[in-house]
Amino acid sequence: MSEHILSLKNVTIYQENKVILSQVNLEVKEGEFIYIIGKTGTGKSSFMKTLYGDLPLTEGTGNIVGYNLLNLKDKDIPYLRRKIGIVFQDFQLLPDRSVKENMLFVLKATGWTDAKVIQEKIDDVLDKVGMKDLANKMPHQLSGGEQQRVAIARALLNDPELILADEPTGNLDPQTSVEVLSVLKKINDNGKTVIMATHDYALLMKFPSKTLKCEDNTIFEVVQRTV
């Protein structure tokens, strides 16, 4: 296994020919927990999209979980995303399927076939986020925090090397945000690398960790107390 799960050198990120972030140099080691902060529109989401292959990298060099972002082929993107668990702000659960069926959908879509192994995996990830007892509930029967826990469980299904969480607490109240971040921190404590974009500075105070800031078309590390 490589020491760095993510390495970016002299990267410039464009969106519709506009420079969003330039001269990005970043190395993330296995097992790190990293916040990406910055005001809306400073490039946090564009940065995340570049990491999971939604925005093509055209300038600089980038490697993530063993994939070269600069010459990433469309056919490689599904395989890249199996090694990255992605958690979005708006949960993105299938509304017409139960929690368990949401998990089943992802596993079947990514090639799992053994019913017993599938059930064990679903039980395992739901247990990790404290949602095993609610496996048969529909998304609309769950609170926002519960839905986000399910989304985190879903991100863990293929045992990814890296979790990318893009504003995972953006739609949640402060108390629920703390609970969801506690789940992510616990997953990180078990060895998973987590990169989380957020604008919730209260969480950074409560759970201090390495912090990178997007500002003035660049991204740089900040000392926690000056955030």
Side-chain angles (χ1 to χ4, degrees):
M1 279 199 293
S2 66
E3 185 192 350
H4 292 113
I5 207 155
L6 169 65
S7 175
L8 301 174
K9 290 189 180 125
N10 301 323
V11 161
T12 297
I13 293 172
Y14 294 89
Q15 196 150 15
E16 293 165 357
N17 298 323
K18 180 172 175 260
V19 173
I20 306 294
L21 292 167
S22 65
Q23 290 301 304
V24 178
N25 290 284
L26 174 63
E27 291 191 326
V28 177
K29 294 190 180 79
E30 281 181 25
E32 283 195 287
F33 190 109
I34 292 176
Y35 292 112
I36 309 282
I37 62 167
K39 295 190 175 82
T40 303
T42 51
K44 298 191 302 293
S45 284
S46 297
F47 177 78
M48 292 296 225
K49 284 177 176 175
T50 304
L51 298 188
Y52 60 80
D54 209 38
L55 269 183
L57 180 65
T58 55
E59 194 173 310
T61 58
N63 283 282
I64 186 165
V65 297
Y67 282 85
N68 182 338
L69 288 170
L70 193 59
N71 55 23
L72 190 67
K73 308 277 188 292
D74 284 349
K75 65 178 173 54
D76 294 329
I77 292 174
Y79 298 100
L80 166 68
R81 290 185 188 167
R82 281 183 211 182
K83 296 177 84 172
I84 298 175
I86 308 168
V87 182
F88 297 100
Q89 178 174 339
D90 54 359
F91 323 134
Q92 295 197 4
L93 300 175
L94 300 167
D96 57 341
R97 297 172 198 238
S98 69
V99 168
K100 180 183 171 183
E101 287 163 349
N102 264 275
M103 303 291 138
L104 195 57
F105 177 81
V106 172
L107 289 174
K108 289 198 161 164
T110 50
W112 294 56
T113 53
D114 185 316
K116 183 169 179 286
V117 176
I118 284 173
Q119 187 56 55
E120 284 169 358
K121 189 66 190 179
I122 291 172
D123 287 346
D124 175 51
V125 294
L126 289 177
D127 196 35
K128 280 191 171 115
V129 301
M131 289 294 293
K132 199 170 164 187
D133 294 344
L134 299 177
N136 294 314
K137 295 275 189 202
M138 300 297 281
H140 69 84
Q141 296 175 298
L142 304 175
S143 69
E146 288 167 342
Q147 288 188 61
Q148 194 56 293
R149 283 170 183 254
V150 173
I152 293 168
R154 180 183 58 193
L156 292 171
L157 282 170
N158 281 302
D159 200 24
E161 293 176 37
L162 170 66
I163 298 282
L164 293 179
D166 193 358
E167 297 278 5
T169 61
N171 290 338
L172 305 174
D173 63 73
Q175 178 56 39
T176 309
S177 295
V178 167
E179 290 165 14
V180 165
L181 195 52
S182 298
V183 171
L184 285 169
K185 284 299 245 185
K186 191 168 131 199
I187 289 163
N188 174 246
D189 290 342
N190 288 327
K192 286 262 182 277
T193 312
V194 179
I195 299 177
M196 172 176 157
T198 184
H199 60 259
D200 189 342
Y201 294 150
L203 290 176
L204 274 69
M205 300 311 203
K206 200 162 182 66
F207 301 94
S209 197
K210 182 174 175 179
T211 303
L212 303 170
K213 187 170 190 178
C214 292
E215 191 176 78
D216 298 330
N217 296 108
T218 189
I219 187 166
F220 54 91
E221 189 172 345
V222 287
V223 181
Q224 192 78 37
R225 65 179 175 276
T226 64
V227 168

